[in-house]
Amino acid sequence: IIKPFDLIYGKYFSPFFSLSDIEFAWSKNGLEKIGGTQNLFFRIDYLLVERDLPLDISQISSSERSKQIHCSFRVFLRTMTIKWEEEVEKRLLNYMSHSSTTGNEAKFAEVVAKDLEDNGWTVQKQFIPGTDRFNVYASFRNSDPKYVKVLLNTHLDTVPPYFPPTQDDKNIYGNGSNDAKGQLAAMVTAATIISNTDEDVARALGLLFVVGEELDHVGMIEANKLGILPDYLLVGEPTELKFGTIQKGALKVKLTVTGQAGHSGYPDSGTSAIHKMVEVLNDVLKFEWPSDKTYGSTTLNVGKIAGGQALNAWAAQCDADIFFRVVTSVKNIEELLNKVVDGRAEVTLLSSNDPVILDVPPIEAETDQVSFNTDIAYFDAKDKVKAKYLFGGGSIKNAHSKNEFIPKDELHKCTSTLVKLVHNLYSYH
C-alpha cells in the first residue's frame, strides 16, 4: 500500500506537482525521490488522502515500477478531482438558490454557517447592531480565532434583483454567481479540502464572510471589532483568475453650479447653470488624469446630472455626481479637480478611500489592475499584514447584471489555486 498523503506531504514535495518528470525508488519507508524535475500540477485533488492506493510491486522491475506508479496516480488523481469539482459546483448552486440581496442576508448566512459547522469548522456569528444580519467567522476546531496565518474573506450579499441559478455544461448563471457566491463556494470547498487532509494547515486558516459589501461595507467595518490579525489576507472577487496588483481608490464628488432663473426666450434675462456645467464637465473629461505603467489609469464616470426647472427657463441650479477610480491618492485627485473646476462649481466630497497596493502571490499566476472597490480598504489591519491578495473566478464585467455567470472551469481553478496558495503560505512563509 502506497499512501498518496506520504507522497504529497513528504519533505520533497510541494502540495501540487506533476508526476510525469519525477523518478522514484522503493524503500522500507515508501517512495523516495531519486531524480527528475518537480513540476506544479494545479489540478491535484486533496481529497485523495482519504484513500490508500494499492500497488503490487513485488514482481515489477525497477524501470517498469515507475511507469505503473505514474499511471496509477494519474487515474486516481483524475477520479478524485472530479469528486471535488462536482462538490464545489453543487455548493454554489445551493448557495445561489437562497436570496441574499444587501440587507437580506440573514437566512443565507445561516445556510453558510451550517455548511461550515457540518464540515468541522467552529462558527462565530457577529450580528450587526439593531438588525438580524450577521457576519460569519469560522476557524477550525480548537484554533485561536483571533490569530490565523491566512484569512480568506468575501461577502454574503448580492446586488438586487435576485433571480435563481441555471447552468449548462460550461457555466453557472444567476445572481451572485461570480459576485461573490462563486468565491464563497470556492473558499468553503478549499477549506474543506484542507481540513480533510491537514488539520495543522486548517488551524492556521480563518474564513470571514461579511454582509453589506455591495452598499456601505458595514459588515467589514463591524468585523474589525473581532480583532483578527492574520499574516496574510485574501479577498475573493471576480478577477478572471488574475491576482490584483492594485485595488484602485474611489473618490465620489458632487459638482454644483448656480445660475440665474429667467425666461429662456431672452438671453439677457438670466444665466443657465446647465450651460455652465457643460463647460465644466467638458474640461473634466478632457483633462489627462494620472496614470501608471504598473497600476493603470485614473478613470472617471459622470454618473448623474440633475438641474433646471422648465424648458422655457434658464436653469437656476445644476448638479453632477462624478466617480473617480484613483491610482495615485484621493488628495491628489481632489487637488487636480479643484484646479480644473477653477471656482466655476462648488465641489462637495461624497465619499472616498485611497488605493490599496496589493501583493504578488508566491505562486505562478497572472496579475492585473482592479478597477472596482472591495472590503480590503475597510479592513483596519490591512497595513499590518505581511501580504494582501485580491483574486477570484469569473468577470466583474458581467456582474450586477441579468447575464452574470461564472465558468465552471474557473470555479474549479479558483478552488485549487486557493488550496495551493494557503499551503504555500503555511509551509514556506
Side-chain angles (χ1 to χ4, degrees):
I1 301 297
I2 299 174
K3 294 183 178 180
F5 181 92
D6 295 332
L7 285 173
I8 292 178
Y9 290 95
K11 63 182 180 180
Y12 299 110
F13 299 103
S14 297
F16 286 78
F17 62 91
S18 170
L19 295 171
S20 59
D21 297 320
I22 303 176
E23 299 175 23
F24 297 94
W26 181 254
S27 73
K28 292 181 180 179
N29 296 322
L31 292 173
E32 293 178 351
K33 181 181 176 185
I34 60 173
T37 303
Q38 181 174 325
N39 294 331
L40 295 176
F41 182 71
F42 66 87
R43 291 297 289 266
I44 249 178
D45 176 22
Y46 277 74
L47 295 180
L48 59 85
V49 301
E50 295 178 348
R51 304 179 185 175
D52 291 333
L53 178 61
L55 293 176
D56 181 6
I57 65 164
S58 58
Q59 304 299 321
I60 304 177
S61 66
S62 177
S63 60
E64 292 298 318
R65 189 179 303 147
S66 179
K67 294 180 182 179
Q68 179 165 342
I69 291 170
H70 289 179
C71 179
S72 298
F73 265 95
R74 286 183 179 282
V75 173
F76 182 79
L77 292 175
R78 185 56 197 156
T79 300
M80 295 304 298
T81 299
I82 291 172
K83 179 179 178 181
W84 72 253
E85 287 178 351
E86 291 174 350
E87 180 182 334
V88 70
E89 290 178 22
K90 181 179 178 181
R91 175 169 280 119
L92 176 54
L93 290 166
N94 177 42
Y95 285 0
M96 290 175 64
S97 70
H98 301 272
S99 173
S100 63
T101 55
T102 307
N104 302 290
E105 304 98 334
K107 290 183 179 180
F108 174 58
E110 292 284 4
V111 172
V112 175
K114 185 177 186 304
D115 189 9
L116 288 163
E117 289 172 339
D118 289 347
N119 283 285
W121 291 75
T122 301
V123 171
Q124 179 179 348
K125 299 177 183 178
Q126 184 195 32
F127 283 86
I128 306 302
T131 76
D132 65 347
R133 306 162 69 194
F134 60 90
N135 296 328
V136 174
Y137 179 55
S139 55
F140 191 67
R141 293 184 179 170
N142 59 347
S143 58
D144 183 350
K146 287 192 175 182
Y147 175 77
V148 291
K149 188 159 189 176
V150 183
L151 180 65
L152 302 182
N153 161 253
T154 192
H155 55 95
L156 298 163
D157 63 318
T158 64
V159 170
Y162 169 75
F163 50 99
T166 58
Q167 64 172 321
D168 56 29
D169 290 342
K170 293 184 177 181
N171 304 310
I172 294 176
Y173 306 86
N175 180 242
S177 52
N178 67 47
D179 191 14
K181 289 180 178 178
Q183 321 314 324
L184 182 63
M187 287 180 175
V188 173
T189 304
T192 301
I193 291 171
I194 291 169
S195 63
N196 283 338
T197 58
D198 193 325
E199 292 191 1
D200 288 339
V201 179
R203 290 190 184 95
L205 179 62
L207 306 171
L208 176 63
F209 306 136
V210 300
V211 301
E213 189 272 350
E214 296 288 6
L215 181 62
D216 53 12
H217 305 277
V218 64
M220 181 59 85
I221 293 170
E222 188 68 19
N224 288 316
K225 297 177 183 178
L226 294 172
I228 309 167
L229 184 57
D231 286 346
Y232 302 94
L233 170 69
L234 184 141
V235 172
E237 293 283 355
T239 64
E240 302 176 20
L241 297 179
K242 300 173 184 177
F243 279 81
T245 56
I246 184 176
Q247 175 190 298
K248 292 185 180 181
L251 172 62
K252 299 177 184 179
V253 298
K254 181 184 291 292
L255 302 186
T256 301
V257 173
T258 301
Q260 181 181 344
H263 197 291
S264 64
Y266 299 88
D268 59 353
S269 67
T271 56
S272 171
I274 292 176
H275 292 185
K276 292 181 180 180
M277 182 64 82
V278 169
E279 294 176 357
V280 173
L281 292 178
N282 182 58
D283 291 343
V284 170
L285 291 169
K286 289 171 59 179
F287 186 75
E288 291 188 13
W289 298 96
S291 63
D292 183 276
K293 290 182 180 179
T294 302
Y295 301 129
S297 300
T298 297
T299 61
L300 67 92
N301 176 48
V302 182
K304 293 170 64 177
I305 298 177
Q309 59 276 14
L311 283 174
N312 59 355
W314 302 118
Q317 182 172 312
C318 183
D319 298 311
D321 292 355
I322 308 178
F323 191 165
F324 289 88
R325 308 284 183 170
V326 181
V327 299
T328 52
S329 70
V330 167
K331 182 179 180 181
N332 172 241
I333 301 303
E334 284 182 307
E335 291 174 349
L336 292 174
L337 178 62
N338 282 312
K339 287 181 180 179
V340 173
V341 172
D342 194 23
R344 293 174 292 170
E346 178 184 354
V347 181
T348 303
L349 174 65
L350 300 178
S351 66
S352 68
N353 60 265
D354 276 319
V356 178
I357 304 302
L358 302 166
D359 295 280
V360 177
I363 59 176
E364 184 176 351
E366 289 187 71
T367 60
D368 200 1
Q369 307 101 13
V370 174
S371 298
F372 54 86
N373 212 14
T374 77
D375 271 334
I376 295 179
Y378 298 87
F379 183 58
D380 287 348
K382 64 181 179 295
D383 296 324
K384 298 178 182 179
V385 300
K386 293 179 180 179
K388 43 191 173 286
Y389 309 108
L390 185 61
F391 170 80
S395 174
I396 196 68
K397 296 174 184 177
N398 62 61
H400 303 183
S401 76
K402 65 180 181 179
N403 301 315
E404 184 175 351
F405 71 94
I406 187 169
K408 291 180 178 179
D409 182 57
E410 290 194 23
L411 182 64
H412 305 157
K413 290 178 179 179
C414 179
T415 305
S416 62
T417 299
L418 291 174
V419 175
K420 178 180 173 183
L421 178 63
V422 169
H423 273 278
N424 187 290
L425 295 174
Y426 176 81
S427 302
Y428 304 114
H429 300 274

